[in-house]
């Protein structure tokens, strides 16, 4: 996919510092971003763990949703999420989560995206399918 005016990684990192929950509370960060692929990471910290000492599903979803926000708005009109479905595949065993997003289809008013979440050991943790709506 060839889109004009894709911001640099540094510009995206600066913009998304304003996503206070994802970047400041959950410590998500953008590590790679192109028009058709976004990769973000989140360290697994005590705050991300549930009562059973596993990464809480909401923490995993936060990282995936952060990737979706960057992907659906990277060089497009402002977009909002219409639907997201998450499938939890396994428990993280590493020290960080890595979410990789891809565009399935980008239409005139809607976009379809998939985000795969793994840990740094390669464990498949979750898969998220989302639909967005362009509001701009």
């Amino acid at each position: 996919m060839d889109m004009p005016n894709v911001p640099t990684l540094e510009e995206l990192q600066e913009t998304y510092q304003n996503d206070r929950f994802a970047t400041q509370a959950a410590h998500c960060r953008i590590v790679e971003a192109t028009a058709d692929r976004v990769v973000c990471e989140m360290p697994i910290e005590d705050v991300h763990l549930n009562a059973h000492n596993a990464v809480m599903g909401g923490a995993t979803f936060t990282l995936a949703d952060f990737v979706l926000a960057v992907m659906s708005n990277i060089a497009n009109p402002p977009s909002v999420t219409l639907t997201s479905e998450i499938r939890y595949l396994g428990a993280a065993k590493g020290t960080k989560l890595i979410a990789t997003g891809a565009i399935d289809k980008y239409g005139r008013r809607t976009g379809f995206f998939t985000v795969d979440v793994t840990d740094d050991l390669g464990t498949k943790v979750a898969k998220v399918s989302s639909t967005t709506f362009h509001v701009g």
Side-chain angles (χ1 to χ4, degrees), residues 106-128:
Y106 197 82
R108 196 170 54 85
R109 298 296 290 169
T110 56
F112 301 91
F113 303 86
T114 299
V115 179
D116 292 304
V117 182
T118 64
D119 66 14
D120 53 327
L121 301 175
T123 306
K124 292 181 180 182
V125 175
K127 182 178 276 293
V128 178

Side-chain angles (χ1 to χ4, degrees), residues 28 40 42 58-71 84 86 97-101 114-117 126-130:
C28 299
C40 296
M42 180 181 74
T60 302
F61 186 79
T62 293
L63 178 62
D65 190 55
F66 185 61
V67 168
L68 177 65
V70 175
M71 286 194 67
S84 279
I86 188 165
L97 294 179
I98 303 161
T100 303
T114 299
V115 179
D116 292 304
V117 182
K127 182 178 276 293
V128 178
S129 298
S130 298

Side-chain angles (χ1 to χ4, degrees), residues 8-104:
T8 66
L9 180 60
E10 293 76 20
E11 289 169 332
L12 287 168
Q13 289 168 335
E14 183 176 330
T15 297
Y16 282 91
Q17 271 303 113
N18 293 321
D19 193 334
R20 290 172 290 285
F21 182 74
T23 60
Q24 296 171 25
H27 302 133
C28 299
R29 68 183 190 95
I30 306 165
V31 295
E32 180 184 330
T34 64
D36 51 10
R37 176 181 153 95
V38 171
V39 179
C40 296
E41 296 177 345
M42 180 181 74
I44 297 173
E45 301 169 327
D46 283 344
V47 70
H48 300 120
L49 303 179
N50 63 22
H52 301 286
N53 234 19
V55 177
M56 185 170 193
T60 302
F61 186 79
T62 293
L63 178 62
D65 190 55
F66 185 61
V67 168
L68 177 65
V70 175
M71 286 194 67
S72 65
N73 290 289
I74 196 165
N76 307 305
S79 296
V80 296
T81 303
L82 289 175
T83 64
S84 279
E85 176 191 13
I86 188 165
R87 291 179 299 280
Y88 295 99
L89 306 173
K93 300 184 183 356
T95 61
K96 67 181 170 181
L97 294 179
I98 303 161
T100 303
I103 299 171
D104 298 321

